[in-house]
Amino acid sequence: MLSGLFIKGLILGISIAAPVGPIGVLCIQRTLTQGRVVGIVSGLGAACADLLYGLIAGLGLTMVSQFIISQQSWIQLIGGVFLFYLGLKILTSKAIPINGTPQKSSLSSAFFTTFLQTLTNPMTILSFAGIFTGLGIVNTHTIATSSITLIVGIFCGSAAWWIFLTFTVSIMSKRMNQKHMVMINVISGIIIGLFGVVSLIRLMIG
């Protein structure tokens, strides 16, 4: 049973991570302009945020999840502003590919920006709650073991997707020149900034 849950978790992790959103665009941009390692670390930041939300939902930490959901307007506001800022920063940054080993500061920044950005989507907690309910592992005597197995599978699936995406994009980067890098920064910055604007508009009209 646990191995089956882990496999389901892998599939769910890939399906959660695969849709193209601001985090996906950011990972692609960083892989092309800063290298494969920075891209992978960025993806792992998002996967770790999913892991944290999955643990909160799966282990029945009701008070924590209810607090996060009750504050979702503020969290969405912070996330939208941060996305807009991030898009503007990328749009105005110099597109200089980094060769060699990335600095530790670059890696920590890459990790925490995607980690925090993923955390600003409190609806993720509801998605995980729905997954656990749908798989029938809520309110059973094996809830902790089953939930953790599923959550670990989701994390591994999400991480595997980001690694696959980063390696694929890094192969493409070998054909890129400086003009391509400038274009990537402009397009990525605009897309990420628009995600932020749309998030803020939804908050105002919602």
Side-chain angles (χ1 to χ4, degrees):
M1 177 181 176
L2 292 181
S3 60
L5 280 175
F6 180 78
I7 293 173
K8 289 179 181 178
L10 281 175
I11 297 172
L12 287 168
I14 294 172
S15 65
I16 289 171
V20 177
I23 303 299
V25 174
L26 185 59
C27 286
I28 292 172
Q29 185 269 340
R30 285 177 173 173
T31 300
L32 291 173
T33 59
Q34 300 183 53
R36 182 187 303 168
V37 175
V38 175
I40 291 175
V41 171
S42 298
L44 290 179
C48 285
D50 284 338
L51 174 64
L52 178 60
Y53 268 159
L55 287 171
I56 293 173
L59 298 181
L61 303 179
T62 308
M63 290 182 62
V64 177
S65 60
Q66 287 181 347
F67 173 77
I68 293 172
I69 294 171
S70 69
Q71 301 299 317
Q72 61 180 318
S73 295
W74 285 106
I75 296 174
Q76 187 176 347
L77 175 63
I78 294 170
V81 172
F82 183 68
L83 271 179
F84 182 78
Y85 162 76
L86 200 57
L88 188 62
K89 184 178 179 181
I90 292 172
L91 186 62
T92 57
S93 64
K94 293 182 179 180
I96 303 176
I98 297 177
N99 299 316
T101 305
Q103 298 179 354
K104 290 183 179 180
S105 59
S106 298
L107 295 179
S108 60
S109 174
F111 178 89
F112 283 109
T113 50
T114 52
F115 178 79
L116 294 175
Q117 184 56 52
T118 306
L119 284 184
T120 59
N121 182 14
M123 297 307 292
T124 303
I125 241 181
L126 296 179
S127 300
F128 278 112
I131 289 171
F132 296 130
T133 303
L135 292 177
I137 62 173
V138 178
N139 296 325
T140 70
H141 66 284
T142 58
I143 180 173
T145 304
S146 299
S147 296
I148 291 174
T149 301
L150 182 66
I151 292 165
V152 170
I154 291 173
F155 172 77
C156 291
S158 178
W161 167 258
W162 292 120
I163 292 172
F164 168 77
L165 177 66
T166 302
F167 269 82
T168 303
V169 172
S170 68
I171 293 173
M172 297 170 52
S173 68
K174 296 178 181 178
R175 302 180 180 180
M176 301 286 183
N177 56 35
Q178 186 64 18
K179 289 184 179 179
H180 292 141
M181 295 300 177
V182 172
M183 187 180 300
I184 288 166
N185 269 9
V186 171
I187 295 174
S188 300
I190 292 174
I191 292 175
I192 292 173
L194 285 176
F195 271 115
V197 172
V198 170
S199 179
L200 293 173
I201 291 175
R202 285 179 178 174
L203 180 62
M204 289 186 291
I205 66 176

